[in-house]
Amino acid sequence: EVQLVESGGSLVQAGGSLRLSCAASGFSFDDYTIGWFRQAPGKEREGVSCINSGDGTTIYADSVKGRFTISSDVAKNTVYMQLNSLKPEDTAVYYCAAGNFRTVVAGIRRPSLPLKLEYDYWGQGTQVTVSS
């Protein structure tokens, strides 16, 4: 059974930091791209970042470049996202998702984040609240 379990969400002041974790089980970690999405109240779920552990490539949304860092620990089947310099507009439920695709194909790296529909499995989410 495939499972994705997020953790690490919390209430933090603007300018603070958090580290989110996504523990995966039930599939071969190296073959999948793991993505982070977020959804604020009344808004669409948007892509934040993704990583493919097989080739190490990462992609970020422009809104988080330079502030968020995604990484993976293959031995632990866990993906992390370090959130620094948090802003109130980062407040959202953060979800991780797994998709059986690569972000580099035939040597060409895709230029933008994968879409929601490309992912096969989703976690339940973890709340991040940034106070001003």
Side-chain angles (χ1 to χ4, degrees):
E1 180 188 5
V2 173
Q3 276 196 319
L4 297 169
V5 179
E6 303 96 333
S7 61
S10 183
L11 170 64
V12 63
Q13 287 189 332
S17 298
L18 284 174
R19 188 176 81 156
L20 306 183
S21 300
C22 172
S25 61
F27 61 94
S28 180
F29 202 63
D30 281 5
D31 294 336
Y32 278 69
T33 291
I34 307 296
W36 282 99
F37 288 77
R38 65 186 181 186
Q39 188 165 19
K43 294 190 176 181
E44 292 287 320
R45 191 172 297 189
E46 63 174 358
V48 177
S49 67
C50 72
I51 186 167
N52 184 281
S53 296
D55 56 35
T57 57
T58 59
I59 306 174
Y60 295 92
D62 288 343
S63 59
V64 305
K65 278 180 185 175
R67 299 190 300 123
F68 292 7
T69 303
I70 190 170
S71 61
S72 68
D73 185 332
V74 176
K76 295 182 178 180
N77 268 22
T78 300
V79 168
Y80 304 98
M81 187 165 67
Q82 179 69 36
L83 287 59
N84 295 331
S85 303
L86 282 161
K87 306 175 182 179
E89 52 263 43
D90 294 318
T91 295
V93 178
Y94 284 71
Y95 299 89
C96 67
N100 190 3
F101 59 88
R102 291 193 175 269
T103 52
V104 177
V105 178
I108 299 174
R109 180 173 174 166
R110 63 191 304 167
S112 58
L113 283 164
L115 302 175
K116 292 192 296 285
L117 56 85
E118 296 183 69
Y119 289 91
D120 305 301
Y121 307 105
W122 291 83
Q124 293 301 305
T126 185
Q127 176 71 48
V128 172
T129 303
V130 184
S131 63
S132 56

